[in-house]
Amino acid sequence: MVKKMDIKPKVINTESFQNETGTLIAFNEFSLLPIKRLYSIENTNPEVVRAWQGHKIENKWFYVIEGAFVIAWVGIDDFENPSTDLSSEFKIIEASENVVLHIPRGFANGLKAIKPNSRVLVFSDLSLIEAENDNFKYISRNWLDWDKL
């Protein structure tokens, strides 16, 4: 049984500055200190759902760089046998919003592109080897009706 964490998923806002030379987007509130790796996911087909991946100890940060995604999360009560009635939440994020979504350890996450050729950067605080035994997969139909989003 995982204890409820004090840390909840959080949107990290950016700042945008414009002048005659263009636009600068600053990620001043997003610290890269815990990051050990990053990868990119491109969903060319908006029908594809990538859910659910649970993590007892790994933190994930999501930054939509093209298109738009529904990114969802659910607090997991038992990683080996989670309850079927857990309550999930989600946020629709457009690339133009320039926000980072932090989903802390203790949660499962899922995502679905809502525009063709959408891309998201995912940051992790564990190396691939460290994360190897901290990846719990669950059925995408659990906890959220993706077709209604």
Side-chain angles (χ1 to χ4, degrees):
M1 214 49 137
V2 173
K3 295 179 185 176
K4 278 286 186 190
M5 299 290 181
D6 289 335
I7 301 172
K8 304 282 186 231
K10 174 185 170 186
V11 172
I12 302 166
N13 292 307
T14 60
E15 297 174 276
S16 179
F17 305 95
Q18 291 185 328
N19 65 21
E20 66 281 350
T21 64
T23 302
L24 176 120
I25 299 176
F27 294 80
N28 295 327
E29 300 301 316
F30 177 37
S31 173
L32 295 175
L33 287 175
I35 305 303
K36 292 190 177 177
R37 66 185 170 103
L38 72 96
Y39 53 93
S40 172
I41 297 171
E42 182 174 354
N43 275 18
T44 54
N45 180 353
E47 300 302 314
V48 173
V49 175
R50 294 175 177 265
W52 293 94
Q53 294 80 227
H55 306 288
K56 285 183 184 180
I57 59 174
E58 186 175 17
N59 286 275
K60 295 280 181 118
W61 293 263
F62 298 84
Y63 176 61
V64 178
I65 56 176
E66 190 171 336
F69 280 88
V70 174
I71 302 176
W73 59 89
V74 59
I76 299 296
D77 57 351
D78 179 345
F79 278 86
E80 301 302 328
N81 188 25
S83 301
T84 58
D85 62 349
L86 297 174
S87 180
S88 66
E89 296 181 61
F90 67 90
K91 178 158 179 56
I92 296 172
I93 300 177
E94 299 264 351
S96 61
E97 290 179 66
N98 292 309
V99 298
V100 176
L101 175 63
H102 174 220
I103 300 181
R105 66 180 186 254
F107 287 81
N109 66 74
L111 53 89
K112 179 182 178 184
I114 55 174
K115 292 182 178 179
N117 301 310
S118 293
R119 291 183 2 164
V120 61
L121 281 179
V122 183
F123 301 83
S124 169
D125 64 348
L126 295 183
S127 70
L128 199 53
I129 292 171
E130 292 169 325
E132 193 173 283
N133 296 317
D134 188 44
N135 193 14
F136 298 83
K137 303 265 188 204
Y138 308 111
I139 298 169
S140 64
R141 294 184 309 273
N142 289 354
W143 310 305
L144 186 65
D145 187 347
W146 294 93
D147 293 330
K148 291 185 177 179
L149 302 176

